[in-house]
Amino acid sequence: MKQKKQLVILGVLVVVALLVWFGQSGGKPTIAGVVNPGFVAQNYQPLPVENPELHWGGIDHARKTDYKSNGRNPFSLQAAPLDAASGPNKIVENTKLPYRPKGPLKEPPPQPPTWPGNVSFFGYGTVPNGTARRAFLTVDGEVQVVGEGDTVLGRYRIVQVNNGNLEFQDISTGLRNTKALDADKVTSPPA
């Protein structure tokens, strides 16, 4: 009995589906996803191409081309590593330039990073238990004690604290420079 009820319900659903299908198509049975060919033929406009043939010479040339990687990952934003053949001393062989440079191209050396003007290095010290030296800095009038490996202003890493100078590295470029002890900021201890 239960199976008879299910078959009757299935039959009713099929009839309802057919009625909806015919009602939506305007009485003409169409299959979803298939376009009416009469509609396509009415609106057809050929592309304005003079010679629609395939360009076999270009296809053959493209098939014979070998890809030669320069070592750069095309999915990375970092530049390709320099090697001897493509380094900055490579001679330019481009004949389309109005001039041709003679000899290897030389790039100027990068400028070392400059110490920010609002930061002064006024002293250094060590903790008695033998830890690394600490540098005493003022950043906009506020005293900071930093050690080797710490960062200042989120841009400069302290590499080494020496007796009279401070070696630092610009984090974004990796270039290093030294900052001498600010003599005008140093005060002698009270007597």
Side-chain angles (χ1 to χ4, degrees):
M1 187 72 174
K2 185 176 181 182
Q3 189 174 11
K4 277 188 173 182
K5 284 184 181 178
Q6 289 177 346
L7 287 175
V8 169
I9 292 173
L10 178 65
V12 170
L13 288 176
V14 168
V15 169
V16 169
L18 286 173
L19 288 174
V20 169
W21 186 26
F22 282 114
Q24 292 293 329
S25 64
K28 299 177 186 173
T30 59
I31 300 173
V34 177
V35 180
N36 186 357
F39 178 75
V40 174
Q42 292 171 1
N43 296 331
Y44 175 72
Q45 294 177 354
L47 294 175
V49 177
E50 293 179 19
N51 186 3
E53 293 182 10
L54 292 176
H55 300 281
W56 291 106
I59 293 173
D60 290 338
H61 177 71
R63 284 183 181 163
K64 292 177 184 175
T65 303
D66 290 333
Y67 172 73
K68 294 182 179 126
S69 172
N70 63 354
R72 181 183 177 273
N73 181 357
F75 302 104
S76 173
L77 295 178
Q78 296 190 2
L82 296 177
D83 58 343
S86 67
N89 295 333
K90 183 179 178 184
I91 298 174
V92 176
E93 298 291 335
N94 191 349
T95 58
K96 294 181 181 179
L97 293 175
Y99 63 91
R100 182 172 176 178
K102 296 179 182 176
L105 299 174
K106 295 184 180 177
E107 295 179 7
Q111 295 292 326
T114 58
W115 189 252
N118 62 341
V119 180
S120 64
F121 171 45
F122 68 90
Y124 62 92
T126 58
V127 179
N129 64 359
T131 59
R133 289 185 177 202
R134 302 282 181 175
F136 305 119
L137 308 174
T138 57
V139 179
D140 293 327
E142 182 180 323
V143 176
Q144 290 187 359
V145 180
V146 295
E148 295 175 359
D150 291 343
T151 59
V152 177
L153 299 176
R155 180 174 174 186
Y156 303 99
R157 179 174 289 123
I158 306 301
V159 177
Q160 189 174 13
V161 179
N162 297 319
N163 287 342
N165 61 19
L166 177 73
E167 187 177 347
F168 66 96
Q169 176 185 18
D170 188 348
I171 295 173
S172 62
T173 62
L175 298 175
R176 293 183 177 198
N177 202 354
T178 58
K179 167 70 174 144
L181 196 64
D182 291 334
D184 59 339
K185 305 282 185 192
V186 176
T187 59
S188 58

